[in-house]
Amino acid sequence: MTDKKIQIPVHGSNVSRADIPEACKWHVQDIYVDEAAWHKACAEFKELLPQLKAMQGTLTTGQAIYAALDLQAEMSQLMDKIYAYARLQQDADNTDQHMQALSGEAEGLAADFSNANSFIEAEMLALGKKKVEALLASEPILAEYKFYIENLLRLADHVLSADKEAIFAQSHLATCSAANAFRALVSADMEFPPITDGEGKPALVSEGNYILNMSSSDRTLRKNSFQGLMGTYHKFRNTLATTLTGSARTALFFAKTHNYEDTLTSALAQDNIPTSLYDGLIQTVHDNFAPLHEYMQLKKYVLGYDELHPYDIYVPLSKTADSFSCTFPEACAKVEAALAPLGEDYVTTLHKGLTSGWIDVYENKGKRSGAYSWGVYGVHPFVLLNYQERYSSISTIAHEMGHALHSYYSSQNQTYVNSEYTIFCAEVASTTNENLLLEYTLAQATDEQKVYLLNQFLEQVRTTVYRQVQFAEFEKFIHSEVTAGRSLQAEKLEKYWLQSNQDYYGPALTVDKELASEWSRIPHFYTPFYVYKYATGYSAATAFASAILSGQPGAVDKYLGFLKAGGSDYSLNILKNAGVDLTTPAPVTITLQKFAAKLQELKALLGK
């Protein structure tokens, strides 16, 4: 990528995929050399389906269990490649109807596979815990599946008979009605009012541009956007309280029926997380409210307002974002330099990923927005970007390559069945890289650039730790209400939400009455007890980065060990073995102490 034409090719939402240089596209041919090879793989997969189905009713011995699990793993790995080949190309150009058709074909095969292998776990559990444990102890051939089987047995008391589980599986279309109603109301039926900006010109507010408006220097636009959006939600508050009640009651029904005490216990059990971690996370954040209160006070002073309102919180304190502009190759060089503390092997692998067809770099017509990393076991990870010349895009490279190298190291060191890391661990590697990039960039920045970078960091902690824990605490409240047999009245939720914001943001924030409706627009509340993982993941990453940059003995090796562990153990155990124990307050405390320290750096730069 040294040629200038390749460095900055013509790109954008109106540029055809065909006009993007091949050097800037990912190499899907690394999965299958061409479409003919893909069709051949599909045919091979279909031939294996009857073999898998024929095993039903035979899982009574260690050898039979191994044969079924091994074939399931072989087919799952093949399915991953089949689906990735089609879907990656569809995401690169959603106008390509041929690739849409291939993706549909792959999804059909995935559904067939799901039906074909559904008997395996039920038959294993039907043998009883003691027999399966005895087989695991006496049959060396099952060693590869040891963690998988032990985890299955751990959850055995919460798995119903095969016929009951089948009924529950069929019920999902009916029981997800509340969440579907929320999405339909918000995305289709809800209409936001026309607004004006500071010059009296017409403007728009929607969920799609709300945060963009909230970041504008035009305070009138921000205020009108805030009032227009929140006011619209307020009109539907009773309906939205009802949909949230319905979703929470559905979650409780599934939890109770599967022999869990409540929804929280059920949700955390999947990752083997104790409820004490959840409670401890909330308490640790409560113990560290003071730095966030101080940050809000600083924003109020710097912005020069008599009152700081919720629509002022997202305003950046610096306008130097454009000063970080650089080409994609230059951005890659910065990321490599920033991640040098992770060692030669990591940087060598990183460089290979940045230059060997792992990445689809630029926007083109029909390309999916945003960014992601997609690991394909036995091939390599693939990273989708829509690179633009600004700091946030450089940070996105570091972030997504963190995911990519996590997948790479896991696949290099684990069997397929033990390679997939959990969502609980997923954001750790990506955010560790972001932390390292921030510190590297800060060390070379001008004072004005440092203001921008420090503000970026503080906002990230505010939104990823403080705000997500605020959400997590709200979830605990609403599910406790439902567990106690009460419904979620809108007025009660509004009162709770306003008080929560006052507690979290402190006296510097004027809590406008319109903010009372904010709870009703958060889609994550329809996936119970998920958002806390953002806060734990970010905190673990900060703890890793702090240990690495401070030169703690063995810190790099422990971190690489975390990447290599994949999904070979429970998430908490993998992190603890790497030196981060989330069952203690330490990782979260380290993160919030760093927040406080960076806040003082920012105050010094601003002379406050």
Side-chain angles (χ1 to χ4, degrees), residues 165-465:
E165 288 291 357
I167 293 173
F168 270 101
Q170 294 174 29
S171 75
H172 278 286
L173 283 176
T175 54
C176 66
S177 295
N180 288 340
F182 165 78
R183 283 188 282 269
L185 176 62
V186 170
S187 62
D189 294 340
M190 192 176 283
E191 294 184 4
F192 300 103
I195 59 171
T196 56
D197 61 18
E199 298 179 354
K201 296 178 181 178
L204 297 174
V205 63
S206 67
E207 280 293 352
N209 70 1
Y210 181 66
I211 293 299
L212 183 65
N213 286 3
M214 288 296 98
S215 304
S216 170
S217 59
D218 185 337
R219 198 181 193 200
T220 301
L221 174 64
R222 299 200 308 269
K223 181 179 180 180
N224 290 344
S225 297
F226 172 73
Q227 292 180 339
L229 185 126
M230 295 300 175
T232 303
Y233 275 95
H234 183 74
K235 292 177 182 178
F236 296 95
R237 62 181 187 152
N238 294 313
T239 299
L240 291 167
T242 302
T243 59
L244 191 57
T245 300
S247 179
R249 284 176 174 168
T250 297
L252 180 63
F253 167 68
F254 280 112
K256 289 281 192 179
T257 306
H258 285 87
N259 304 313
Y260 288 105
E261 179 183 351
D262 53 29
T263 305
L264 176 62
T265 308
S266 172
L268 269 58
Q270 302 310 306
D271 286 321
N272 201 22
I273 306 295
T275 56
S276 58
L277 182 149
Y278 198 92
D279 295 335
L281 173 65
I282 294 171
Q283 185 59 53
T284 303
V285 168
H286 275 241
D287 293 342
N288 289 274
F289 275 162
L292 181 58
H293 294 179
E294 189 177 353
Y295 178 45
M296 290 299 103
Q297 192 69 51
L298 176 65
K299 278 211 161 185
K300 182 178 178 182
Y301 285 150
V302 173
L303 294 173
Y305 298 147
D306 292 333
E307 291 184 342
L308 184 76
H309 293 269
Y311 49 81
D312 298 321
I313 292 178
Y314 286 91
V315 180
L317 300 181
S318 169
K319 298 179 180 179
T320 60
D322 291 343
S323 68
F324 296 98
S325 174
C326 62
T327 65
F328 178 71
E330 290 168 342
C332 291
K334 289 183 180 181
V335 171
E336 288 186 33
L339 302 184
L342 295 178
E344 184 178 347
D345 184 73
Y346 187 97
V347 174
T348 299
T349 306
L350 173 66
H351 182 76
K352 178 181 177 182
L354 293 170
T355 58
S356 302
W358 291 17
I359 303 178
D360 206 82
V361 181
Y362 295 108
E363 182 183 20
N364 58 252
K365 184 178 181 180
K367 187 175 179 180
R368 174 174 167 162
S369 62
Y372 66 64
S373 173
W374 188 320
V376 181
Y377 190 91
V379 185
H380 59 69
F382 292 82
V383 172
L384 180 139
L385 299 177
N386 283 277
Y387 183 77
Q388 295 177 338
E389 296 185 10
R390 58 192 185 196
Y391 180 79
S392 61
S393 276
I394 304 173
S395 186
T396 298
I397 295 171
H399 180 103
E400 298 303 338
M401 292 307 291
H403 286 307
L405 266 69
H406 195 178
S407 297
Y408 176 85
Y409 277 112
S410 173
S411 65
Q412 293 292 307
N413 291 274
Q414 300 295 333
T415 59
Y416 174 79
V417 73
N418 291 316
S419 65
E420 187 173 352
Y421 47 83
T422 64
I423 294 175
F424 190 88
C425 288
E427 293 303 322
V428 176
S430 56
T431 313
T432 298
N433 280 8
E434 285 188 51
N435 270 272
L436 295 174
L437 176 66
L438 174 77
E439 296 297 344
Y440 172 82
T441 311
L442 274 170
Q444 303 182 38
T446 65
D447 283 354
E448 188 59 33
Q449 287 178 323
K450 286 179 181 177
V451 171
Y452 172 84
L453 293 167
L454 291 170
N455 185 201
Q456 287 284 102
F457 170 78
L458 295 173
E459 280 299 295
Q460 196 162 35
V461 177
R462 180 183 74 78
T463 55
T464 311
V465 181

Side-chain angles (χ1 to χ4, degrees), residues 469-582:
V469 172
Q470 182 189 14
F471 288 176
E473 190 172 0
F474 180 75
E475 283 192 279
K476 191 175 180 187
F477 166 70
I478 62 175
H479 286 282
S480 295
E481 289 289 293
V482 169
T483 300
R486 294 185 284 270
S487 61
L488 304 174
Q489 289 93 17
E491 286 186 10
K492 184 190 295 183
L493 296 175
E494 289 176 341
K495 182 179 179 181
Y496 182 97
W497 192 254
L498 286 176
Q499 186 59 55
S500 174
N501 277 275
Q502 195 69 77
D503 293 341
Y504 272 74
Y505 289 101
L509 181 67
T510 298
V511 180
D512 298 314
K513 61 181 177 59
E514 291 90 348
L515 188 63
S517 300
E518 188 180 34
W519 61 268
S520 66
R521 62 179 285 261
I522 310 299
H524 286 96
F525 293 155
Y526 292 84
T527 307
F529 301 108
Y530 176 87
V531 295
Y532 84 98
K533 297 177 185 179
Y534 291 119
T536 54
Y538 192 95
S539 298
T542 306
F544 275 131
S546 297
I548 291 164
L549 290 175
S550 65
Q552 286 187 18
V556 172
D557 288 340
K558 287 180 180 178
Y559 176 69
L560 294 178
F562 159 73
L563 299 182
K564 293 173 183 177
S568 60
D569 198 349
Y570 295 116
S571 301
L572 287 182
N573 292 344
I574 290 173
L575 288 164
K576 189 174 182 179
N577 290 337
V580 175
D581 188 355
L582 282 167

Side-chain angles (χ1 to χ4, degrees), residues 58-72:
T58 69
L59 306 191
T60 57
T61 66
Q63 184 65 45
I65 291 173
Y66 172 79
L69 291 177
D70 202 49
L71 181 56
Q72 179 183 238

